[in-house]
Amino acid sequence: MSSSDDVLKSLVSHAKEYGFVFPSSEIYDGLSATYDYGPYGVDLKNNIKAYWWKAMVQIHTNLVGLDSAIFMHPTTWKASGHVDAFNDPLIDNKDSKKRYRADVLIEEYLEKIRLKIEKEVEKAAQRFGDSFDRDMYLKTNARVLGYAEEMDQVRGKMKAALEAADLESLRQLIVDLGIVCPLSGSKNWTEVRQFNLMFATELGSVSGEASTIYLRPETAQGSYVNFLNVQKSARMKIPFGIAQIGKAFRNEIIARQFIFRMREFEQMEMQFFVRPGTEMEWFEYWKNFRIKWHSVLGLGSQNYRFHDHIKLAHYANAATDIEFNFPMGFKELEGIHSRTDFDLKAHETFSGRKQQYFDPELQESYIPYVVETAIGLDRMFLAVMSASYTEEKLEDGSERTLLALPRWLAPVKLAILPLLKKDGLPELALDIFKKLRLDYTCQYDEKDAIGKRYRRQDAIGTPYCITIDHQSLEDGMVTLRDRDSMSQERIPIQDLKGWLHQRLDMSVLLEQLT
Ligand code: ATP
């Protein structure tokens, strides 16, 4: 088993043991690609949501919120293109009977070549030492150039096949590249077929085509069909945006890798309506803002990269992904898409209602262009958990499991711990607990030895422990223990609020975005 599998496995079991994520309906052996969030998971999730909402809606005066229904009129999905084009190209391996996304198999092949280039670069860097010029090497080394050319060619062929929906060429490319099934190791592939990802259900008791409705596969369409309602009621002027957090459903074929790819998941999406012709400026603005939103959390800038789309979706004229270094490697965490006027135009055509905005400065009406930012809440949860999870060897030889969550997102912010369960220590500790819980999610714990209590808090990611000892009764000071460094300092009880505000309040984090 590869070490990335091990990391993911440890994370899955930690998430279950400590009440972050459970398999859905586990007593019936679970339902694949569906998960429940436990007591700490729900708080972590809510904190991520709050951070997104505040950074988007609260900070930007030209963004407003919406909570549209999961069910929508079925014509919505005809107009959006999802009924006809929301498909994955699937291919089966006849020996292992495993099903794959054809484009993903090719992307994985490309990633292998990219890793070969990285290896060459690493070797050269060692050989040349300080005088090594990475850019120059990438531009001149024959072997690297050969790999790069191969990548370009494969990409070009894949793009052409996907854009033309030419499934036979897509299959041929897999055969030509000699791609084997990771499970059976064989090249015995079926044809490539298209598979629609929307879940359909029936409305009411009448059966038949007219009553078929879908569980939404994205929240975006709810924002589009409400574009004029929101614009008029909130008196918005272009450019402005609509933000939504909500569930989405996709009948994913390859639903593996824990909460990375689920069939029921949650999205945080924002649709930004702009004057046609200005969309690339806003695309850049949102690209920059979104990466900043990620980077101030401190999960490590080396864990992020942009990946521009090879194949643009039917609605887009520019698109990039923010990829994160998950335990399974770099994968899409967030998408930023310039969706043109595709959706509003389609809704105007299908509904027969004008979807135009009167621009008072230009004195003309037009269908706005849209720049979208779309991030999966569950994927963000996984990114945060996987970057934070470590098994540490301490100086004294012991080990601890540490969840070094960004402080502002931690489900429990403070643990209030009387050193002993007597001598008036619990009373003082409870007094502090009752005050601090008005501002922060706190835990009061008086069971077990103090070391054991610290470990428990480390494992759920509590940034600070406040310990009350005998001296506290005399000098009115408590010990503050830092989760990551394990360092301790004494602080007067009356200074606690100010000290904690600087370190835990989301407003301090949000300030870095402005
Ligand atoms: P992918 O290529 O991984 O299937 P996508 O490009 O189809 O994703 P979008 O339609 O752009 O995804 O959706 C926006 C975001 O929603 C994604 O960046 C991802 O974080 C999240 N997301 C999409 N599908 C899933 C899923 N099945 N499970 C969890 N999150 C998802």
Side-chain angles (χ1 to χ4, degrees):
M1 185 184 285
S2 72
S3 65
S4 67
D5 283 340
D6 286 342
V7 174
L8 192 61
K9 243 181 149 178
S10 310
L11 195 63
V12 172
S13 73
H14 186 83
K16 184 174 168 214
E17 184 181 349
Y18 285 92
F20 284 87
V21 181
F22 307 130
S24 154
S25 32
E26 197 189 7
I27 59 165
Y28 295 104
D29 295 332
L31 180 68
S32 76
T34 318
Y35 290 90
D36 298 338
Y37 287 85
Y40 298 122
V42 65
D43 267 334
L44 173 55
K45 206 172 163 200
N46 282 339
N47 292 341
I48 298 173
K49 278 194 220 179
Y51 175 44
W52 187 87
W53 193 263
K54 283 171 194 279
M56 302 297 276
V57 180
Q58 192 172 312
I59 288 190
H60 291 90
T61 47
N62 54 0
L63 286 198
V64 286
L66 179 74
D67 183 10
S68 67
I70 286 170
F71 289 143
M72 299 181 73
H73 192 284
T75 310
T76 310
W77 306 110
K78 196 80 192 140
S80 70
H82 283 82
V83 171
D84 298 318
F86 193 50
N87 300 315
D88 273 349
L90 300 182
I91 189 165
D92 291 27
N93 182 270
K94 291 183 193 160
D95 297 315
S96 67
K97 309 266 184 278
K98 275 278 167 204
R99 186 162 287 175
Y100 299 92
R101 255 172 66 180
D103 55 330
V104 170
L105 283 179
I106 299 167
E107 289 278 2
E108 283 171 1
Y109 179 88
L110 287 168
E111 177 66 10
K112 277 189 194 141
I113 309 182
R114 195 190 66 77
L115 290 174
K116 282 188 194 163
I117 296 179
E118 278 307 313
K119 231 185 197 135
E120 291 294 330
V121 171
E122 258 171 47
K123 274 199 295 195
Q126 270 175 7
R127 222 171 34 239
F128 293 111
D130 286 346
S131 63
F132 182 62
D133 180 341
R134 183 187 161 94
D135 288 344
M136 179 65 85
Y137 186 79
L138 287 174
K139 273 190 222 138
T140 53
N141 179 273
R143 195 172 292 165
V144 166
L145 287 175
Y147 286 142
E149 196 188 322
E150 188 188 349
M151 284 179 79
D152 280 348
Q153 278 185 7
V154 173
R155 263 204 208 104
K157 284 184 188 166
M158 175 164 95
K159 182 174 182 222
L162 286 171
E163 279 180 355
D166 181 351
L167 303 181
E168 183 42 41
S169 297
L170 206 56
R171 177 178 189 278
Q172 198 53 47
L173 187 57
I174 290 173
V175 172
D176 292 346
L177 296 174
I179 295 177
V180 297
C181 164
L183 252 130
S184 65
S186 95
K187 297 177 192 167
N188 200 2
W189 296 110
T190 61
E191 300 304 300
V192 177
R193 285 166 300 115
Q194 296 282 23
F195 179 86
N196 194 285
L197 295 176
M198 280 198 296
F199 282 103
T201 187
E202 301 279 306
L203 188 69
S205 56
V206 196
S207 64
E209 180 83 358
S211 61
T212 298
I213 55 165
Y214 300 98
L215 297 185
R216 68 178 175 198
E218 61 175 28
T219 65
Q221 299 303 325
S223 297
Y224 298 141
V225 300
N226 277 299
F227 152 68
L228 285 174
N229 279 341
V230 171
Q231 186 264 320
K232 287 182 182 143
S233 60
R235 297 167 54 238
M236 302 308 283
K237 284 207 175 74
I238 272 179
F240 78 94
I242 303 178
Q244 271 212 82
I245 301 179
K247 289 261 177 158
F249 304 82
R250 294 181 188 179
N251 200 358
E252 300 277 5
I253 297 312
I254 304 119
R256 280 185 228 127
Q257 297 169 328
F258 196 31
I259 53 173
F260 180 81
R261 192 174 295 287
M262 301 154 90
R263 297 208 166 93
E264 172 181 345
F265 58 101
E266 217 162 335
Q267 291 184 314
M268 305 190 284
E269 294 197 301
M270 191 279 301
Q271 315 302 318
F272 200 68
F273 301 89
V274 306
R275 218 178 251 177
T278 64
E279 68 274 14
M280 290 322 285
E281 266 164 59
W282 287 108
F283 181 70
E284 283 306 312
Y285 171 84
W286 285 110
K287 238 176 107 169
N288 290 332
F289 184 81
R290 292 304 306 152
I291 196 71
K292 205 163 162 194
W293 183 88
H294 287 284
S295 56
V296 298
L297 283 176
L299 298 179
S301 55
Q302 76 285 0
N303 284 325
Y304 298 89
R305 72 179 186 200
F306 280 110
H307 175 255
D308 294 332
H309 284 206
I310 298 179
K311 181 204 168 203
L312 290 174
H314 55 276
Y315 50 73
N317 69 356
T320 192
D321 292 339
I322 296 176
E323 293 189 336
F324 187 79
N325 191 10
F326 289 100
M328 335 50 105
F330 275 96
K331 303 248 179 229
E332 172 178 344
L333 167 62
E334 169 157 9
I336 298 149
H337 311 127
S338 173
R339 293 178 70 133
T340 69
D341 57 358
F342 175 87
D343 300 272
L344 290 180
K345 216 180 195 167
H347 288 307
E348 184 170 283
T349 307
F350 277 78
S351 68
R353 310 262 176 95
K354 280 220 171 314
Q355 297 300 309
Q356 307 213 345
Y357 168 80
F358 179 74
D359 191 323
E361 275 173 41
L362 297 181
Q363 289 289 307
E364 65 178 71
S365 294
Y366 53 79
I367 298 181
Y369 270 41
V370 171
V371 175
E372 166 191 66
T373 72
I375 177 168
L377 176 54
D378 313 85
R379 274 192 202 176
M380 183 62 195
F381 187 107
L382 182 60
V384 168
M385 286 286 278
S386 59
S388 304
Y389 179 82
T390 41
E391 280 158 20
E392 254 186 17
K393 246 204 155 57
L394 303 179
E395 274 172 18
D396 64 2
S398 65
E399 281 182 17
R400 71 162 177 162
T401 302
L402 171 67
L403 204 58
L405 297 171
R407 303 189 290 280
W408 315 273
L409 304 182
V412 178
K413 299 283 190 289
L414 300 166
I416 323 286
L417 315 170
L419 190 62
L420 297 173
K421 216 165 133 182
K422 57 181 184 185
D423 303 335
L425 301 185
E427 286 76 4
L428 178 57
L430 276 169
D431 196 40
I432 296 173
F433 169 71
K434 282 180 187 153
K435 287 203 182 89
L436 290 180
R437 74 176 173 188
L438 302 176
D439 289 312
Y440 307 106
T441 310
C442 300
Q443 269 191 1
Y444 173 80
D445 187 5
E446 56 181 27
K447 282 188 256 34
D448 298 321
I450 193 74
K452 206 165 174 190
R453 282 183 269 168
Y454 285 155
R455 290 290 171 277
R456 225 170 13 231
Q457 297 301 333
D458 290 343
I460 61 166
T462 308
Y464 301 109
C465 290
I466 298 174
T467 309
I468 292 90
D469 54 21
H470 288 97
Q471 212 185 320
S472 309
L473 299 174
E474 285 159 29
D475 63 8
M477 294 180 64
V478 291
T479 303
L480 252 159
R481 174 190 179 267
D482 180 272
R483 174 195 65 197
D484 302 341
S485 65
M486 295 189 287
S487 64
Q488 307 196 353
E489 60 180 295
R490 297 284 289 178
I491 291 198
I493 294 169
Q494 77 257 23
D495 294 351
L496 270 177
K497 278 214 169 182
W499 194 95
L500 294 171
H501 165 75
Q502 275 311 312
R503 287 157 180 85
L504 291 177
D505 284 24
M506 213 172 263
S507 56
V508 179
L509 178 67
L510 291 168
E511 214 173 349
Q512 297 181 51
L513 298 175
T514 55

